Amino acid sequence: MAHFIITIDGPSASGKSTLAKKIAQRLGINYLDSGAFYRSIAAFLVEKGVASEDETFLSSFLQSAKLKLVYEGSFARYYFNDLEVTPFLRKELVAMKASFIAKQKSVRNFVNNNLQEISNKGDFIADGRDLGSKVFPLADVKFFLTATLESRAKRRELEQKTMGIDTSFEKVLEQLRLRDEQDSKRKIDPLVRPDDAFFIDTTSYTTDEVCEEMFIEIKKKFSVQPSLFRTWICVFLKSFFSLFYGFKVMGEEFSRKFLSGLVYANHTSFYDALILLTLLGPKTVFVASERVVRKNFFIRIVTSFFPLILVDDQNMPKDFFRLCIKTIHKGCPLVIFPEGMRSLDGTILPFKVGITSIILHCKLKEVLPIYIGGVYSIWPKGKWFPSFFKKITVLVSKPLHISGHEKGEGKEARVKLTNQLRERLKNLEKHFKETYECRI
Ligand code: CDP
């Protein structure tokens, strides 16, 4: 499965990096700042006191040079030939030198090769000048942002003053004008707007407004349209459960708002998957154990109409997490089901670590817990056919917010999260027993 890449091109201070970071955070992917690559070379030269910007010198110097990027959560550290250059990247002298050396072919090749190599390791949102046109011409979504020179200068002045850099509006305006000229007039890979890029003039919009617009565009590109057949199955299931059972959903507004993301539920009956389909709709994608699906005829039939991500209990399939995150970004609810075996007595069994691994690997910010009540007595394990005309009550909880991905994926973090997930479902179960079960 190929990785996906979103590019944002545009002139300096058009809002690229702020927006790229926001979107990266929202999608749970990494931000690739191509400008920082040019700045890293420039910072190294400045710090080591290398004054030469001669093409022949730089070309042979870069042949043995190494650029390394280390992510610490969403923050990236840059190393050039083992010198950490991160602290020097935002200096204006470094920016000017970066813009100057960026005209050279060997420098551009060096940066582009590094960008392409890193992009093979995951999903990224990358910003720069020529990313959609030259570096990633096949990017999944492309944006081109711009704003008037004056408003960009105002933003950059504010940014620099916040960082404690002594500057003035006139000085910043002049530096930006100069860099605009260097970036758009150079012969090799100048700043251009790719034909297939979504264009936004950010002058009179807030960052949040632009972010929303970009997000709508990204969702449009990734969203999938379910087939009419699947839509009909869901309509049929809803009618079936309403007709033969007192089917009640509490907290349905949470599932309606939670259009895509990870959903987990208790598992006591064959009906569970069908009830989740009724609730979440035709875009639902199931994550299921290959072993369980293979040996169970009923589950094979149900799941054959809906997309499945199969998991081998022993090994995670290659690209499994990428598949999960792509599914979610396509606007589909991803349902972990069946989470192990059905419970023998209707109680919630200890969770497997699979769900926690998905949350941590895919850096998911929230998950939706659902408790399906009443179905155990309708169709418990060991019974061939269900009983009818009983009550099914589904409790949809507020999405559970997950924080602390940055703290790693160690055993302790996994156990804590797994307990938290189970606890939320247990609370729903308690609420169900106290409020609804006695009336069934
Ligand atoms: O933050 P700002 O937009 O001011 O600059 P940057 O993105 O950090 O880029 C610094 C310099 O690197 C720019 O002025 C460009 O000359 C150069 N650059 C480039 O030529 N091509 C890219 N894809 C990214 C940056």
Side-chain angles (χ1 to χ4, degrees):
M1 177 73 46
H3 299 300
F4 74 75
I5 188 113
I6 301 168
T7 60
I8 311 181
D9 289 306
S12 297
S14 52
K16 301 183 302 287
S17 65
T18 314
L19 284 152
K21 279 180 207 158
K22 265 181 174 276
I23 291 173
Q25 200 187 27
R26 214 158 140 180
L27 292 178
I29 59 178
N30 279 321
Y31 164 49
L32 201 51
D33 175 2
S34 71
F37 285 50
Y38 291 96
R39 285 175 185 257
S40 294
I41 306 173
F44 182 84
L45 297 176
V46 170
E47 288 307 307
K48 293 284 173 186
V50 182
S52 176
E53 282 154 358
D54 174 64
E55 169 106 58
T56 332
F57 164 75
L58 277 182
S59 170
S60 75
F61 163 72
L62 288 175
Q63 260 166 27
S64 56
K66 282 216 165 13
L67 181 67
K68 200 169 80 184
L69 188 56
V70 179
Y71 282 101
E72 280 173 11
S74 55
F75 180 76
R77 291 191 176 281
Y78 294 82
Y79 295 85
F80 192 90
N81 281 351
D82 294 333
L83 170 71
E84 186 181 354
V85 288
T86 327
F88 319 117
L89 297 183
R90 303 321 296 176
K91 285 184 177 172
E92 202 41 51
L93 175 63
V94 169
M96 288 309 281
K97 192 157 179 114
S99 181
F100 189 79
I101 60 169
K103 285 187 276 189
Q104 299 185 13
K105 197 168 174 24
S106 55
V107 175
R108 301 206 74 79
N109 285 344
F110 176 81
V111 170
N112 293 351
N113 290 341
N114 274 284
L115 287 170
Q116 281 160 353
E117 200 175 300
I118 292 172
S119 75
N120 284 330
K121 295 184 184 143
D123 298 323
F124 287 95
I125 178 159
D127 77 347
R129 306 291 188 284
D130 59 344
L131 299 192
S133 55
K134 170 77 199 244
V135 191
F136 302 112
L138 298 178
D140 299 86
V141 193
K142 297 178 187 178
F143 292 98
F144 189 89
L145 303 187
T146 192
T148 60
L149 181 61
E150 287 70 24
S151 72
R152 288 190 284 126
K154 255 188 236 153
R155 288 177 194 165
R156 187 49 52 96
E157 182 199 358
L158 188 72
E159 186 185 301
Q160 292 192 341
K161 283 192 171 153
T162 319
M163 286 161 75
I165 300 171
D166 182 28
T167 191
S168 71
F169 175 74
E170 290 70 28
K171 198 170 145 198
V172 174
L173 188 89
E174 184 49 23
Q175 281 164 347
L176 283 187
R177 202 191 50 71
L178 247 171
R179 278 215 280 150
D180 278 1
E181 204 173 291
Q182 285 198 127
D183 291 345
S184 48
K185 288 201 178 143
R186 66 173 174 239
K187 285 201 196 80
I188 314 165
D189 308 333
L191 166 69
V192 282
R193 175 181 158 187
D195 291 338
D196 50 350
F198 189 76
F199 176 84
I200 307 177
D201 183 337
T202 65
T203 309
S204 20
Y205 297 103
T206 63
T207 315
D208 283 343
E209 284 167 337
V210 181
C211 186
E212 274 320 302
E213 203 171 335
M214 292 171 80
F215 215 71
I216 290 170
E217 206 50 31
I218 293 169
K219 284 267 170 208
K220 253 199 253 165
K221 288 265 177 153
F222 285 119
S223 76
V224 284
Q225 283 309 316
S227 68
L228 204 59
F229 181 61
R230 275 194 223 154
T231 311
W232 273 107
I233 293 189
C234 291
V235 172
F236 167 79
L237 286 173
K238 197 157 199 157
S239 319
F240 172 81
F241 285 115
S242 307
L243 198 66
F244 293 107
Y245 300 94
F247 186 62
K248 203 151 123 193
V249 182
M250 311 307 293
E252 200 171 0
E253 66 277 13
F254 297 126
S255 61
R256 242 185 275 123
K257 273 192 224 145
F258 196 83
L259 295 176
S260 64
L262 191 71
V263 178
Y264 71 103
N266 56 325
H267 183 35
T268 53
S269 147
F270 277 142
Y271 268 167
D272 297 342
L274 306 180
I275 289 169
L276 290 172
L277 275 178
T278 311
L279 204 69
L280 301 166
K283 286 186 175 182
T284 306
V285 176
F286 290 103
V287 174
S289 151
E290 204 172 343
R291 183 179 47 83
V292 176
V293 171
R294 229 186 300 118
K295 78 173 189 195
N296 193 306
F297 180 69
F298 181 79
I299 293 182
R300 267 215 314 269
I301 302 257
V302 172
T303 50
S304 60
F305 298 120
F306 285 81
L308 260 188
I309 301 177
L310 285 176
V311 202
D312 174 345
D313 289 351
Q314 306 305 321
N315 308 301
M316 283 294 184
K318 198 170 165 279
D319 278 335
F320 169 71
F321 295 115
R322 193 153 312 290
L323 217 55
C324 291
I325 205 162
K326 273 198 173 179
T327 304
I328 292 171
H329 293 161
K330 280 179 182 168
C332 305
L334 184 70
V335 180
I336 310 256
F337 185 83
E339 232 313 78
M341 304 303 283
R342 277 174 302 149
S343 133
L344 279 172
D345 55 1
T347 54
I348 298 172
L349 295 176
F351 279 10
K352 293 195 169 180
V353 286
I355 179 166
T356 312
S357 307
I358 296 178
I359 295 171
L360 294 176
H361 257 86
C362 302
K363 298 197 174 85
L364 301 182
K365 296 281 178 280
E366 45 182 33
V367 287
L368 188 72
I370 295 181
Y371 182 80
I372 307 169
V375 274
Y376 175 68
S377 63
I378 291 173
W379 204 351
K381 196 166 179 170
K383 238 181 112 180
W384 278 92
F385 299 103
S387 14
F388 289 90
F389 306 110
K390 288 186 169 180
K391 274 192 181 159
I392 296 177
T393 306
V394 179
L395 303 184
V396 185
S397 157
K398 231 195 240 174
L400 180 70
H401 291 280
I402 314 286
S403 55
H405 290 302
E406 300 74 21
K407 291 185 196 116
E409 293 164 12
K411 193 164 179 253
E412 209 178 305
R414 277 165 194 269
V415 172
K416 199 170 154 219
L417 185 54
T418 310
N419 289 341
Q420 214 183 340
L421 295 167
R422 187 161 182 259
E423 200 50 39
R424 182 61 86 87
L425 217 52
K426 290 287 262 178
N427 286 342
L428 287 177
E429 180 185 52
K430 187 163 171 264
H431 181 56
F432 168 79
K433 287 194 165 155
E434 287 169 1
T435 321
Y436 302 99
E437 196 170 49
C438 50
R439 296 191 203 150
I440 289 175

